[in-house]
Amino acid sequence: LSLKAAWARLGQAESMRSAANASLWPQLSVDAGVGRSRSSFSSFPVSTTDSYSLSARASYEIDIWGKLSNQRQAAELETAATRDNLEATAISVTAEVVETWFSLIAQRAQLELLEAQLQTNQTWLELIEVRFEQGLASVLDIYNLQQKSSGSESQLASAQGQLEILEHRLALLLGESPSGATFPSTSKLPELPPLPKTGVPSDLLTHRPDVRAAQRMVAAADARIGIALANRFPALKLSGSVGYSATTLTGLLDEVIYSVTGGLVQPLFMGGALAAEQERTESVLEERLHSFAQVLLQASTEVENALALERTESERLTHLTTQHEQASAALREARARYLAG
């Protein structure tokens, strides 16, 4: 659902970009009107006059100070930043799904291990009870094994609850109801491909869409300052119209009326609104610069942490593999000694 919301935000940004690009073209409109007027004076009879009009108007603003080009540039940058945020959301959701799925598989494996451990404890308890009946074991041994079995049952219940929580979290990430979601019952993970070459952390930062989005938002804020500054200078606007006007419908096209005008509009006094808007856009730029620095610092920290964790986890995996091999060897030796009496 968060991905769908991000797609909707991208659609909004693209619409705003299209609206900003509309300033490249003149504005055209068509007017058609029909009217009737009636006058009455004491010394004149009542007179009724009909009027008909049809005209087309066009207006265009000359981009003297770069206001319109800055509007288009800002809208383009904000649209690109929104697309980057969409990619960042997609990556984050994907990562959460992967982590949750891995935790789910690991929890299932832990559940199988606890069930096997509980079965082992119960089997061993039966053997100890037989030895107790033969006088080869004490009641303390029975109590200790009963305690271990109860502990395994407690861990098993806790693991089952954690498994259900992970399934609910995965359903939430997939936009489904926790009670109605179903997942494959496998407890195996797929084989992973080799890790890509990471290079230096600064190279990895250039691939992060959240970093690109923050950088583009800074550039968009800078363009917005140009818009606020241009609004304080004169605007040159051209306008023209051509049309027809008559008192009868049949004579509407007999007389052509046209006009072409051009003028400068200079704001003189607006109570400080334009200066305040410029100060606001400058503060927005400062805010986004700090946000970009924060995003860059956070991204750099995450990359460094991920590289360090990948390196240390690889070493831990090597040690665990060695430990597993040693435990297997010890088990084989113990079984051989037991069978040999």
Side-chain angles (χ1 to χ4, degrees):
L1 297 178
S2 58
L3 277 178
K4 291 182 179 180
W7 274 110
R9 286 192 295 270
L10 179 59
Q12 298 171 33
E14 290 176 342
S15 298
M16 295 178 64
R17 180 188 60 186
S18 299
N21 290 335
S23 61
L24 288 169
W25 307 95
Q27 298 180 6
L28 303 176
S29 62
V30 176
D31 298 329
V34 177
R36 171 173 289 182
S37 61
R38 187 175 185 178
S39 60
S40 176
F41 298 95
S42 60
S43 57
F44 296 95
V46 175
S47 63
T48 302
T49 304
D50 296 332
S51 62
Y52 302 90
S53 63
L54 178 65
S55 63
R57 304 177 185 273
S59 62
Y60 186 73
E61 181 177 352
I62 305 299
D63 194 13
I64 301 178
W65 314 109
K67 179 180 69 174
L68 301 180
S69 60
N70 279 326
Q71 286 179 347
R72 294 190 294 269
Q73 181 184 6
E76 187 70 33
L77 288 168
E78 288 168 353
T79 301
T82 305
R83 186 179 297 108
D84 289 332
N85 286 328
L86 170 62
E87 294 179 4
T89 302
I91 291 175
S92 297
V93 172
T94 303
E96 289 185 35
V97 169
V98 169
E99 290 179 358
T100 306
W101 178 251
F102 175 83
S103 299
L104 182 65
I105 297 300
Q107 192 64 27
R108 285 176 179 172
Q110 184 73 17
L111 200 62
E112 293 177 357
L113 181 62
L114 288 173
E115 290 173 349
Q117 183 63 50
L118 178 60
Q119 183 63 37
T120 301
N121 290 342
Q122 292 175 347
T123 302
W124 183 235
L125 178 60
E126 294 174 358
L127 293 176
I128 290 297
E129 289 175 347
V130 172
R131 291 172 59 85
F132 175 75
E133 293 175 356
Q134 297 175 354
L136 300 177
S138 67
V139 69
L140 180 61
D141 296 330
I142 295 178
Y143 288 154
N144 287 335
L145 279 175
Q146 288 176 342
Q147 181 183 1
K148 288 184 179 180
S149 296
S150 298
S152 297
E153 291 175 348
S154 174
Q155 293 177 354
L156 192 61
S158 177
Q160 183 63 43
Q162 187 64 31
L163 179 64
E164 293 180 6
I165 291 175
L166 289 171
E167 290 177 345
H168 296 167
R169 181 185 176 190
L170 188 59
L172 175 64
L173 290 171
L174 299 180
E176 300 179 7
S177 171
S179 59
T182 57
F183 307 104
S185 58
T186 179
S187 59
K188 302 295 183 182
L189 289 170
E191 292 293 332
L192 295 179
L195 286 174
K197 295 182 179 180
T198 55
V200 296
S202 59
D203 292 338
L204 296 178
L205 294 180
T206 60
H207 300 293
R208 289 182 58 128
D210 57 338
V211 174
R212 294 198 308 266
Q215 186 176 15
R216 283 169 171 160
M217 292 302 291
V218 170
D222 186 58
R224 295 289 180 189
I225 293 179
I227 298 172
L229 184 62
N231 284 331
R232 305 183 67 179
F233 293 96
L236 176 58
K237 297 183 178 180
L238 304 177
S239 62
S241 64
V242 59
Y244 304 90
S245 178
T247 57
T248 62
L249 185 60
T250 56
L252 181 62
L253 302 180
D254 293 342
E255 185 179 355
V256 180
I257 302 174
Y258 67 90
S259 67
V260 178
T261 60
L264 286 173
V265 180
Q266 170 64 53
L268 293 180
F269 179 75
M270 297 185 66
L274 296 179
E277 175 63 17
Q278 181 179 347
E279 293 176 358
R280 186 193 70 83
T281 54
E282 291 173 350
S283 297
V284 170
L285 175 60
E286 184 178 1
E287 175 197 355
R288 291 185 178 177
L289 279 171
H290 293 314
S291 298
F292 173 61
Q294 177 66 27
V295 169
L296 196 62
L297 182 61
Q298 180 68 27
S300 178
T301 302
E302 290 176 357
V303 170
E304 292 282 4
N305 290 345
L307 290 175
L309 185 61
E310 192 276 330
R311 183 181 63 256
T312 55
E313 284 297 296
S314 297
E315 296 176 358
R316 178 171 175 267
L317 178 60
T318 301
H319 296 318
L320 286 175
T321 302
T322 303
Q323 183 181 359
H324 179 265
E325 293 173 352
Q326 293 170 347
S328 299
L331 177 61
R332 289 192 300 270
E333 178 65 22
R335 181 178 288 112
R337 291 167 62 88
Y338 178 79
L339 294 177

mmCIF file with all atom_site columns, all heavy atoms in Angstrom, residues 211-225:
data_model
loop_
_atom_site.group_PDB
_atom_site.id
_atom_site.type_symbol
_atom_site.label_atom_id
_atom_site.label_alt_id
_atom_site.label_comp_id
_atom_site.label_asym_id
_atom_site.label_entity_id
_atom_site.label_seq_id
_atom_site.pdbx_PDB_ins_code
_atom_site.Cartn_x
_atom_site.Cartn_y
_atom_site.Cartn_z
_atom_site.occupancy
_atom_site.B_iso_or_equiv
_atom_site.pdbx_formal_charge
_atom_site.auth_seq_id
_atom_site.auth_comp_id
_atom_site.auth_asym_id
_atom_site.auth_atom_id
_atom_site.pdbx_PDB_model_num
ATOM 1   N N   . VAL A 1 211 ? 19.484 9.452  -1.842  1.00 0.00 ? 211 VAL A N   1
ATOM 2   C CA  . VAL A 1 211 ? 20.512 10.488 -1.957  1.00 0.00 ? 211 VAL A CA  1
ATOM 3   C C   . VAL A 1 211 ? 20.258 11.349 -3.190  1.00 0.00 ? 211 VAL A C   1
ATOM 4   O O   . VAL A 1 211 ? 20.344 12.587 -3.136  1.00 0.00 ? 211 VAL A O   1
ATOM 5   C CB  . VAL A 1 211 ? 21.916 9.846  -2.005  1.00 0.00 ? 211 VAL A CB  1
ATOM 6   C CG1 . VAL A 1 211 ? 22.984 10.902 -2.266  1.00 0.00 ? 211 VAL A CG1 1
ATOM 7   C CG2 . VAL A 1 211 ? 22.211 9.118  -0.701  1.00 0.00 ? 211 VAL A CG2 1
ATOM 8   N N   . ARG A 1 212 ? 19.916 10.696 -4.311  1.00 0.00 ? 212 ARG A N   1
ATOM 9   C CA  . ARG A 1 212 ? 19.610 11.463 -5.524  1.00 0.00 ? 212 ARG A CA  1
ATOM 10  C C   . ARG A 1 212 ? 18.401 12.358 -5.317  1.00 0.00 ? 212 ARG A C   1
ATOM 11  O O   . ARG A 1 212 ? 18.374 13.508 -5.772  1.00 0.00 ? 212 ARG A O   1
ATOM 12  C CB  . ARG A 1 212 ? 19.357 10.514 -6.693  1.00 0.00 ? 212 ARG A CB  1
ATOM 13  C CG  . ARG A 1 212 ? 20.563 9.704  -7.127  1.00 0.00 ? 212 ARG A CG  1
ATOM 14  C CD  . ARG A 1 212 ? 20.357 9.140  -8.524  1.00 0.00 ? 212 ARG A CD  1
ATOM 15  N NE  . ARG A 1 212 ? 19.101 8.419  -8.653  1.00 0.00 ? 212 ARG A NE  1
ATOM 16  C CZ  . ARG A 1 212 ? 18.981 7.105  -8.487  1.00 0.00 ? 212 ARG A CZ  1
ATOM 17  N NH1 . ARG A 1 212 ? 20.056 6.389  -8.150  1.00 0.00 ? 212 ARG A NH1 1
ATOM 18  N NH2 . ARG A 1 212 ? 17.818 6.499  -8.634  1.00 0.00 ? 212 ARG A NH2 1
ATOM 19  N N   . ALA A 1 213 ? 17.383 11.849 -4.629  1.00 0.00 ? 213 ALA A N   1
ATOM 20  C CA  . ALA A 1 213 ? 16.174 12.641 -4.390  1.00 0.00 ? 213 ALA A CA  1
ATOM 21  C C   . ALA A 1 213 ? 16.486 13.875 -3.554  1.00 0.00 ? 213 ALA A C   1
ATOM 22  O O   . ALA A 1 213 ? 16.019 14.984 -3.865  1.00 0.00 ? 213 ALA A O   1
ATOM 23  C CB  . ALA A 1 213 ? 15.118 11.780 -3.706  1.00 0.00 ? 213 ALA A CB  1
ATOM 24  N N   . ALA A 1 214 ? 17.277 13.719 -2.496  1.00 0.00 ? 214 ALA A N   1
ATOM 25  C CA  . ALA A 1 214 ? 17.616 14.859 -1.644  1.00 0.00 ? 214 ALA A CA  1
ATOM 26  C C   . ALA A 1 214 ? 18.427 15.897 -2.412  1.00 0.00 ? 214 ALA A C   1
ATOM 27  O O   . ALA A 1 214 ? 18.228 17.112 -2.249  1.00 0.00 ? 214 ALA A O   1
ATOM 28  C CB  . ALA A 1 214 ? 18.393 14.377 -0.415  1.00 0.00 ? 214 ALA A CB  1
ATOM 29  N N   . GLN A 1 215 ? 19.334 15.438 -3.262  1.00 0.00 ? 215 GLN A N   1
ATOM 30  C CA  . GLN A 1 215 ? 20.143 16.365 -4.056  1.00 0.00 ? 215 GLN A CA  1
ATOM 31  C C   . GLN A 1 215 ? 19.271 17.148 -5.041  1.00 0.00 ? 215 GLN A C   1
ATOM 32  O O   . GLN A 1 215 ? 19.439 18.350 -5.229  1.00 0.00 ? 215 GLN A O   1
ATOM 33  C CB  . GLN A 1 215 ? 21.222 15.585 -4.800  1.00 0.00 ? 215 GLN A CB  1
ATOM 34  C CG  . GLN A 1 215 ? 22.213 16.459 -5.544  1.00 0.00 ? 215 GLN A CG  1
ATOM 35  C CD  . GLN A 1 215 ? 23.313 15.639 -6.195  1.00 0.00 ? 215 GLN A CD  1
ATOM 36  O OE1 . GLN A 1 215 ? 23.195 14.430 -6.332  1.00 0.00 ? 215 GLN A OE1 1
ATOM 37  N NE2 . GLN A 1 215 ? 24.384 16.294 -6.583  1.00 0.00 ? 215 GLN A NE2 1
ATOM 38  N N   . ARG A 1 216 ? 18.312 16.475 -5.665  1.00 0.00 ? 216 ARG A N   1
ATOM 39  C CA  . ARG A 1 216 ? 17.437 17.162 -6.614  1.00 0.00 ? 216 ARG A CA  1
ATOM 40  C C   . ARG A 1 216 ? 16.496 18.133 -5.925  1.00 0.00 ? 216 ARG A C   1
ATOM 41  O O   . ARG A 1 216 ? 16.150 19.178 -6.483  1.00 0.00 ? 216 ARG A O   1
ATOM 42  C CB  . ARG A 1 216 ? 16.652 16.118 -7.409  1.00 0.00 ? 216 ARG A CB  1
ATOM 43  C CG  . ARG A 1 216 ? 17.496 15.451 -8.488  1.00 0.00 ? 216 ARG A CG  1
ATOM 44  C CD  . ARG A 1 216 ? 16.816 14.258 -9.097  1.00 0.00 ? 216 ARG A CD  1
ATOM 45  N NE  . ARG A 1 216 ? 17.554 13.769 -10.258 1.00 0.00 ? 216 ARG A NE  1
ATOM 46  C CZ  . ARG A 1 216 ? 17.435 12.559 -10.770 1.00 0.00 ? 216 ARG A CZ  1
ATOM 47  N NH1 . ARG A 1 216 ? 16.599 11.703 -10.230 1.00 0.00 ? 216 ARG A NH1 1
ATOM 48  N NH2 . ARG A 1 216 ? 18.144 12.192 -11.833 1.00 0.00 ? 216 ARG A NH2 1
ATOM 49  N N   . MET A 1 217 ? 16.077 17.813 -4.725  1.00 0.00 ? 217 MET A N   1
ATOM 50  C CA  . MET A 1 217 ? 15.221 18.740 -4.000  1.00 0.00 ? 217 MET A CA  1
ATOM 51  C C   . MET A 1 217 ? 15.972 20.019 -3.635  1.00 0.00 ? 217 MET A C   1
ATOM 52  O O   . MET A 1 217 ? 15.380 21.104 -3.577  1.00 0.00 ? 217 MET A O   1
ATOM 53  C CB  . MET A 1 217 ? 14.674 18.063 -2.739  1.00 0.00 ? 217 MET A CB  1
ATOM 54  C CG  . MET A 1 217 ? 13.680 16.938 -3.031  1.00 0.00 ? 217 MET A CG  1
ATOM 55  S SD  . MET A 1 217 ? 12.250 17.480 -3.996  1.00 0.00 ? 217 MET A SD  1
ATOM 56  C CE  . MET A 1 217 ? 11.414 18.510 -2.785  1.00 0.00 ? 217 MET A CE  1
ATOM 57  N N   . VAL A 1 218 ? 17.277 19.913 -3.393  1.00 0.00 ? 218 VAL A N   1
ATOM 58  C CA  . VAL A 1 218 ? 18.092 21.113 -3.160  1.00 0.00 ? 218 VAL A CA  1
ATOM 59  C C   . VAL A 1 218 ? 18.115 21.979 -4.419  1.00 0.00 ? 218 VAL A C   1
ATOM 60  O O   . VAL A 1 218 ? 17.931 23.202 -4.355  1.00 0.00 ? 218 VAL A O   1
ATOM 61  C CB  . VAL A 1 218 ? 19.519 20.719 -2.739  1.00 0.00 ? 218 VAL A CB  1
ATOM 62  C CG1 . VAL A 1 218 ? 20.437 21.936 -2.743  1.00 0.00 ? 218 VAL A CG1 1
ATOM 63  C CG2 . VAL A 1 218 ? 19.513 20.081 -1.357  1.00 0.00 ? 218 VAL A CG2 1
ATOM 64  N N   . ALA A 1 219 ? 18.341 21.356 -5.583  1.00 0.00 ? 219 ALA A N   1
ATOM 65  C CA  . ALA A 1 219 ? 18.364 22.110 -6.842  1.00 0.00 ? 219 ALA A CA  1
ATOM 66  C C   . ALA A 1 219 ? 17.000 22.737 -7.135  1.00 0.00 ? 219 ALA A C   1
ATOM 67  O O   . ALA A 1 219 ? 16.911 23.866 -7.636  1.00 0.00 ? 219 ALA A O   1
ATOM 68  C CB  . ALA A 1 219 ? 18.790 21.197 -7.986  1.00 0.00 ? 219 ALA A CB  1
ATOM 69  N N   . ALA A 1 220 ? 15.917 22.018 -6.820  1.00 0.00 ? 220 ALA A N   1
ATOM 70  C CA  . ALA A 1 220 ? 14.573 22.565 -7.039  1.00 0.00 ? 220 ALA A CA  1
ATOM 71  C C   . ALA A 1 220 ? 14.333 23.769 -6.134  1.00 0.00 ? 220 ALA A C   1
ATOM 72  O O   . ALA A 1 220 ? 13.719 24.770 -6.563  1.00 0.00 ? 220 ALA A O   1
ATOM 73  C CB  . ALA A 1 220 ? 13.530 21.485 -6.792  1.00 0.00 ? 220 ALA A CB  1
ATOM 74  N N   . ALA A 1 221 ? 14.772 23.695 -4.886  1.00 0.00 ? 221 ALA A N   1
ATOM 75  C CA  . ALA A 1 221 ? 14.614 24.833 -3.981  1.00 0.00 ? 221 ALA A CA  1
ATOM 76  C C   . ALA A 1 221 ? 15.388 26.041 -4.461  1.00 0.00 ? 221 ALA A C   1
ATOM 77  O O   . ALA A 1 221 ? 14.936 27.187 -4.334  1.00 0.00 ? 221 ALA A O   1
ATOM 78  C CB  . ALA A 1 221 ? 15.064 24.432 -2.570  1.00 0.00 ? 221 ALA A CB  1
ATOM 79  N N   . ASP A 1 222 ? 16.561 25.820 -5.039  1.00 0.00 ? 222 ASP A N   1
ATOM 80  C CA  . ASP A 1 222 ? 17.343 26.918 -5.599  1.00 0.00 ? 222 ASP A CA  1
ATOM 81  C C   . ASP A 1 222 ? 16.604 27.577 -6.765  1.00 0.00 ? 222 ASP A C   1
ATOM 82  O O   . ASP A 1 222 ? 16.604 28.800 -6.910  1.00 0.00 ? 222 ASP A O   1
ATOM 83  C CB  . ASP A 1 222 ? 18.715 26.395 -6.052  1.00 0.00 ? 222 ASP A CB  1
ATOM 84  C CG  . ASP A 1 222 ? 19.632 27.518 -6.504  1.00 0.00 ? 222 ASP A CG  1
ATOM 85  O OD1 . ASP A 1 222 ? 19.890 28.429 -5.698  1.00 0.00 ? 222 ASP A OD1 1
ATOM 86  O OD2 . ASP A 1 222 ? 20.081 27.482 -7.661  1.00 0.00 ? 222 ASP A OD2 1
ATOM 87  N N   . ALA A 1 223 ? 15.954 26.766 -7.607  1.00 0.00 ? 223 ALA A N   1
ATOM 88  C CA  . ALA A 1 223 ? 15.171 27.320 -8.709  1.00 0.00 ? 223 ALA A CA  1
ATOM 89  C C   . ALA A 1 223 ? 13.974 28.105 -8.181  1.00 0.00 ? 223 ALA A C   1
ATOM 90  O O   . ALA A 1 223 ? 13.580 29.121 -8.771  1.00 0.00 ? 223 ALA A O   1
ATOM 91  C CB  . ALA A 1 223 ? 14.713 26.204 -9.642  1.00 0.00 ? 223 ALA A CB  1
ATOM 92  N N   . ARG A 1 224 ? 13.371 27.668 -7.074  1.00 0.00 ? 224 ARG A N   1
ATOM 93  C CA  . ARG A 1 224 ? 12.239 28.387 -6.495  1.00 0.00 ? 224 ARG A CA  1
ATOM 94  C C   . ARG A 1 224 ? 12.648 29.771 -6.003  1.00 0.00 ? 224 ARG A C   1
ATOM 95  O O   . ARG A 1 224 ? 11.839 30.696 -6.007  1.00 0.00 ? 224 ARG A O   1
ATOM 96  C CB  . ARG A 1 224 ? 11.651 27.578 -5.337  1.00 0.00 ? 224 ARG A CB  1
ATOM 97  C CG  . ARG A 1 224 ? 11.022 26.243 -5.741  1.00 0.00 ? 224 ARG A CG  1
ATOM 98  C CD  . ARG A 1 224 ? 9.741  26.427 -6.487  1.00 0.00 ? 224 ARG A CD  1
ATOM 99  N NE  . ARG A 1 224 ? 9.140  25.149 -6.878  1.00 0.00 ? 224 ARG A NE  1
ATOM 100 C CZ  . ARG A 1 224 ? 8.094  25.036 -7.687  1.00 0.00 ? 224 ARG A CZ  1
ATOM 101 N NH1 . ARG A 1 224 ? 7.540  26.127 -8.187  1.00 0.00 ? 224 ARG A NH1 1
ATOM 102 N NH2 . ARG A 1 224 ? 7.603  23.853 -8.005  1.00 0.00 ? 224 ARG A NH2 1
ATOM 103 N N   . ILE A 1 225 ? 13.895 29.927 -5.570  1.00 0.00 ? 225 ILE A N   1
ATOM 104 C CA  . ILE A 1 225 ? 14.386 31.254 -5.184  1.00 0.00 ? 225 ILE A CA  1
ATOM 105 C C   . ILE A 1 225 ? 14.389 32.179 -6.392  1.00 0.00 ? 225 ILE A C   1
ATOM 106 O O   . ILE A 1 225 ? 14.012 33.352 -6.313  1.00 0.00 ? 225 ILE A O   1
ATOM 107 C CB  . ILE A 1 225 ? 15.787 31.147 -4.557  1.00 0.00 ? 225 ILE A CB  1
ATOM 108 C CG1 . ILE A 1 225 ? 15.726 30.411 -3.221  1.00 0.00 ? 225 ILE A CG1 1
ATOM 109 C CG2 . ILE A 1 225 ? 16.395 32.527 -4.352  1.00 0.00 ? 225 ILE A CG2 1
ATOM 110 C CD1 . ILE A 1 225 ? 17.059 30.243 -2.539  1.00 0.00 ? 225 ILE A CD1 1
#
